[in-house]
């Protein structure tokens, strides 16, 4: 059982390492992994958290996430404009949250301010063996 936990943790760590370059680019955002752990009572699932720092006017490229990923986005500071799938664009302020169902597309994720930074916590519940958490939409 310990070997399975160790293997799961290693896979989750690899997923974070692979996902970070895909999500971090020169558009005014920085992605920092802060937590990863297999979920012991849900075999094959992991919990992964990243913090996305947006510079004033910064944005994420349109993207999708791992098909297994359920995601909670929580605004730590500032204001984030977000759109999931074809839903409405909405501005979320510090203390507000949104979610993405597995298989969702995230066409808009950006700092709503041109003058102040913003920070987002993204928490993923994902299949432990998923290798890429974020894939840019071309």
């Amino acid at each position: 059982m310990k070997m399975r936990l160790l293997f799961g943790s290693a896979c989750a760590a690899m997923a974070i390492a692979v996902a970070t370059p895909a999500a971090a680019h020169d558009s005014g955002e920085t992605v920092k992994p802060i937590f990863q752990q297999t979920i012991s009572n849900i075999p094959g699932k992991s919990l992964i958290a990243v913090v996305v720092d947006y510079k004033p006017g910064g944005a994420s490229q349109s993207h999708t996430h791992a098909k297994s990923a359920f995601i909670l986005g929580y605004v730590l500071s500032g204001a984030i404009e977000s759109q999931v799938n074809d839903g409405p664009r909405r501005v979320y302020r510090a203390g507000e949250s949104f979610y993405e169902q597995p298989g969702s597309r995230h066409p808009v994720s950006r700092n709503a301010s041109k003058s102040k930074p913003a920070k987002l916590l993204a928490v993923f519940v994902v299949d432990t063996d998923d290798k890429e958490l974020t894939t840019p939409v071309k």
Side-chain angles (χ1 to χ4, degrees), residues 11-12 21 39 42 64 71 74-75 77 93 108 124 128 130 138:
C11 287
I39 303 173
I42 308 175
T64 59
I71 302 158
Y74 179 82
V75 181
S77 63
R93 303 196 187 300
V108 177
F124 294 72
T128 300
D130 277 342
K138 297 178 184 185

Side-chain angles (χ1 to χ4, degrees), residues 11 24 36 40 52 58 62 64 66-67 79 83 103 114 120 129 132:
C11 287
Q36 63 85 26
S40 60
V52 183
S62 178
T64 59
K67 294 204 182 297
Q83 179 184 16
K114 303 277 187 214
L120 175 73
D129 60 354
E132 291 190 40

Side-chain angles (χ1 to χ4, degrees), residues 14-123:
M14 284 176 38
I16 290 172
V18 169
T20 301
H25 46 82
D26 292 335
S27 64
E29 72 165 350
T30 304
V31 179
K32 178 183 174 188
I34 61 166
F35 181 83
Q36 63 85 26
Q37 181 64 51
T38 57
I39 303 173
S40 60
N41 63 338
I42 308 175
K45 292 289 185 181
S46 290
L47 184 69
I48 299 172
V50 300
V51 171
V52 183
D53 282 298
Y54 289 101
K55 293 179 183 176
S60 298
Q61 184 176 1
S62 178
H63 59 274
T64 59
H65 294 287
K67 294 204 182 297
S68 69
F70 179 90
I71 302 158
L72 168 71
Y74 179 82
V75 181
L76 297 169
S77 63
I80 304 288
E81 182 179 10
S82 181
Q83 179 184 16
V84 178
N85 295 320
D86 294 323
R89 288 184 184 196
R90 180 169 167 207
V91 174
Y92 296 88
R93 303 196 187 300
E96 295 182 319
S97 62
F98 61 91
Y99 67 93
E100 296 180 44
Q101 293 285 355
S104 293
R105 182 176 41 84
H106 202 175
V108 177
S109 183
R110 70 171 134 246
N111 187 342
S113 173
K114 303 277 187 214
S115 61
K116 298 177 183 173
K119 188 177 289 197
L120 175 73
L121 171 66
V123 179

